[in-house]
Amino acid sequence: MSRIYDNRSLQTIPVLNQQWNGRWDPKSQWQTGNGVLLEGVLMGRSRHVITDSTNNKCRYYALHIKVNQAHKRKFDSKGVEIEPNFSETQKVNTGYLMSSYKTEAKGKTDKLQKSEVEAIVNKPALLELTAKHRPANCLTFWVEEKEMDKIELENEDVIRIKTQGDGPFLFSVAKLDLQSHTVGNYAGGEEVGATWTDKVFAAKDRDSPQQSTSQEGMGADEDEWDD
């Protein structure tokens, strides 16, 4: 029996050594604001080692993603992350044992158009570092190399990401199982196997000003992404 062998996923991604004029400080420069939740297809990856004027070296993967849909990250008045408004409408049970539903207005959606995502994510100085490696119709997101040790990704995987503020730096990356709509593996500190929503909000305490035991915003239905 013959088999077709494809070693593309095993090929080493070359490291690009790049100099940065000044001090490299993503947190203060590109991580302010609430950020976005985004689903898309991974179309390519590149590796970058940034050396700044203080000789500090930082290692990253750049993930080049074709965006399917995106929403604003949302926080309450105390700075605790809550579920975004995925749609302007919602289904409400009206019948016995959930036998019928009605559609009600839910308010302004937090869904973003691609142009809005581009305006939030794209930073000209960073685009100069990745432009040669970015496939057409993709946005580029940065994740620390050590975080990628926690997740196995290949091109054309469907992934969901959460940015750290209004910029391209990632707080978490999750691979989506299209059959079960659950996370296959995940970079960001949580265990494998929970749903996307579980993982997003399990991680909220790590980047929110205050911790909360509130269950508000927990458990968004996966199909709300498809509205």
Side-chain angles (χ1 to χ4, degrees):
M1 181 176 67
S2 62
R3 295 181 179 180
I4 299 175
Y5 177 72
D6 187 347
N7 70 345
R8 285 179 297 177
S9 63
L10 303 180
Q11 293 174 351
T12 301
I13 301 173
V15 178
L16 305 168
N17 292 289
Q18 295 167 306
Q19 296 292 321
W20 184 260
N21 185 22
R23 182 170 176 265
W24 178 257
D25 186 12
K27 187 172 184 179
S28 65
Q29 291 177 291
W30 303 297
Q31 295 182 13
T32 59
N34 288 349
V36 299
L37 302 171
L38 181 146
E39 181 181 296
V41 180
L42 180 64
M43 303 302 293
R45 290 164 290 175
S46 53
R47 294 173 66 190
H48 303 261
V49 175
I50 307 298
T51 304
D52 69 11
S53 58
T54 67
N55 208 34
N56 181 44
K57 293 181 182 288
C58 298
R59 294 179 166 275
Y60 296 92
Y61 276 89
L63 306 182
H64 310 295
I65 299 172
K66 185 177 181 181
V67 178
N68 290 337
Q69 54 187 318
H71 297 80
K72 299 176 185 176
R73 288 181 65 190
K74 196 170 184 179
F75 296 83
D76 66 15
S77 60
K78 296 181 180 179
V80 176
E81 185 167 13
I82 59 176
E83 180 182 296
N85 192 355
F86 288 97
S87 173
E88 292 184 348
T89 60
Q90 62 182 347
K91 293 179 180 179
V92 178
N93 179 36
T94 59
Y96 180 67
L97 295 178
M98 303 180 71
S99 61
S100 61
Y101 298 88
K102 66 177 180 179
T103 300
E104 290 185 348
K106 195 177 178 182
K108 185 178 180 181
T109 179
D110 291 308
K111 189 171 185 177
L112 296 167
Q113 300 300 317
K114 184 179 178 181
S115 59
E116 295 176 303
V117 181
E118 291 175 347
I120 291 172
V121 169
N122 286 344
K123 308 299 178 185
L126 297 176
L127 291 176
E128 292 180 7
L129 301 178
T130 59
K132 294 180 180 179
H133 313 284
R134 185 177 69 253
N137 301 316
C138 288
L139 295 180
T140 297
F141 297 86
W142 294 65
V143 58
E144 291 187 29
E145 189 175 87
K146 62 183 180 182
E147 293 296 328
M148 292 300 292
D149 292 338
K150 305 175 184 178
I151 185 170
E152 296 179 3
L153 290 178
E154 296 185 13
N155 288 354
E156 300 186 2
D157 281 343
V158 177
I159 61 176
R160 285 174 172 174
I161 62 176
K162 176 179 180 180
T163 67
Q164 180 69 49
D166 291 346
F169 290 87
L170 298 186
F171 178 69
S172 63
V173 186
K175 183 165 67 174
L176 181 64
D177 184 331
L178 292 179
Q179 293 184 342
S180 64
H181 273 235
T182 58
V183 172
N185 52 24
Y186 176 84
E190 300 301 323
E191 297 298 324
V192 172
T195 66
W196 161 249
T197 304
D198 290 340
K199 289 186 175 294
V200 166
F201 293 102
K204 68 182 180 181
D205 289 340
R206 292 192 289 119
D207 68 334
S208 297
Q210 293 183 328
Q211 294 186 352
S212 173
T213 57
S214 170
Q215 295 300 307
E216 181 179 7
M218 300 290 284
D221 292 335
E222 291 288 342
D223 58 4
E224 290 192 17
W225 279 82
D226 300 321
D227 289 344

